[in-house]
Amino acid sequence: MIALALTPALLIGVFSHQQTSKSLKQEVFNSLNQTADMAVELVIEWFHVRQLDVESLASTRLVVPVTAQLTQLLNENERPILELLNSPEAQAISESSRKLLSGYHERYQYIEDIYIVSVTGDIILTTRQEAELGKNIDDVIFSSTRFARSVRGVIESGETQFSDLELWPNHDDQHYGFFITPIFNPDREIIGAFSIRANLVSLMNTLQG
C-alpha cells in the first residue's frame, strides 16, 4: 500500500522535474539566441564605425594632398621608389602627416598600421615605416593577398572594402584585416587607396567578455 501511495507522488515529481528541465533548457536556448543576436549586432556596429573611421581619415588634409604630392614626385623621378620615399624631398611632404596619423594608433587600439597606396599600387606611406614601404601590391610577397585583391577592387570600384582576415607577411604569423577606401582628389578622381591594418583582438575580447 505504501508503494502504491507513493507512486502518484513519484510520477508527479518526475513529470515536474522533466517540465522544469525542459523549461530550463528553453530558457538557456533563448538566452543563447539573444546573446548571439547581440553579438551579431555588436559586430555589425563595430564594422560600420570602422568604415566611417577609414573614410573620414581618407578625405582629410592628412591624406589627400600627401597622396597627390608623393605620386607626382614619383612620376617625376626615376630613382628606386624606396630610395625616393626616404629622400629629404619625400620626407618633407609626408613626415608631418605620418606623425599625425601615427597618433591614431594610441587613440584606437585596433589600428596596427596605416598605409597610403598609389593608384598604381605602390605603398607610398606607412605610419610604422616597416617593410611594406615602397613595395607594390603586385610584388610576389603581396600579389596573392586579400589585401592586394581588395586594394585593386577599391581603386576599380571606388567603394570601401574589408579584406577579411589573413596572415600578414613578416609579422610573426599574426592575422590582420584591412579596411580600405579610395582616396579622391578635389575633382572626385581616384588617386589611391587608404588602408588601416586592423587587429581584431579587442573586438574578440569584447565578444568573449
Side-chain angles (χ1 to χ4, degrees):
M1 293 295 294
I2 295 175
L4 289 174
L6 287 176
T7 299
L10 181 62
L11 290 173
I12 292 170
V14 169
F15 178 75
S16 176
H17 173 74
Q18 288 176 338
Q19 291 300 106
T20 302
S21 179
K22 287 179 181 178
S23 176
L24 182 59
K25 287 179 182 178
Q26 187 62 44
E27 184 177 340
V28 170
F29 181 76
N30 291 339
S31 177
L32 288 173
N33 275 343
Q34 290 173 0
T35 301
D37 290 342
M38 290 174 61
V40 169
E41 290 176 6
L42 178 62
V43 169
I44 291 172
E45 177 64 18
W46 191 88
F47 273 82
H48 176 66
V49 173
R50 302 294 78 82
Q51 179 179 338
L52 295 178
D53 288 345
V54 70
E55 291 175 349
S56 176
L57 282 172
S59 64
T60 67
R61 61 180 178 81
L62 298 178
V63 175
V64 178
V66 171
T67 305
Q69 292 170 31
L70 286 177
T71 299
Q72 181 179 353
L73 183 66
L74 291 173
N75 290 339
E76 294 174 350
N77 284 269
E78 296 183 357
R79 281 186 282 172
I81 182 171
L82 184 58
E83 177 185 324
L84 186 56
L85 290 173
N86 286 323
S87 70
E89 307 100 287
Q91 293 295 307
I93 294 170
S94 64
E95 189 60 12
S96 176
S97 290
R98 188 190 69 78
K99 287 182 177 179
L100 288 170
L101 287 171
S102 295
Y104 285 87
H105 294 178
E106 299 177 4
R107 189 178 306 177
Y108 300 104
Q109 293 184 348
Y110 78 94
I111 296 179
E112 287 291 328
D113 206 346
I114 294 174
Y115 305 142
I116 293 178
V117 185
S118 73
V119 75
T120 57
D122 294 316
I123 300 174
I124 57 177
L125 184 148
T126 77
T127 49
R128 293 194 183 277
Q129 295 184 305
E130 296 181 332
E132 295 88 350
L133 183 66
K135 298 291 194 302
N136 189 283
I137 60 172
D138 289 326
D139 290 348
V140 173
I141 193 171
F142 296 124
S143 61
S144 61
T145 62
R146 293 185 175 95
F147 166 73
R149 184 176 66 238
S150 297
V151 169
R152 296 185 196 102
V154 165
I155 291 174
E156 181 178 343
S157 68
E159 297 180 352
T160 302
Q161 294 187 18
F162 178 68
S163 69
D164 207 347
L165 291 175
E166 64 181 333
L167 285 170
W168 191 236
N170 304 319
H171 285 84
D172 299 325
D173 294 329
Q174 292 293 313
H175 285 81
Y176 296 102
F178 294 84
F179 293 92
I180 307 166
T181 198
I183 301 170
F184 295 98
N185 67 12
D187 296 324
R188 295 298 294 173
E189 299 168 330
I190 295 175
I191 59 173
F194 181 85
S195 175
I196 290 175
R197 174 159 60 91
N199 185 333
L200 304 191
V201 170
S202 60
L203 174 62
M204 297 302 120
N205 287 341
T206 300
L207 293 176
Q208 292 171 359

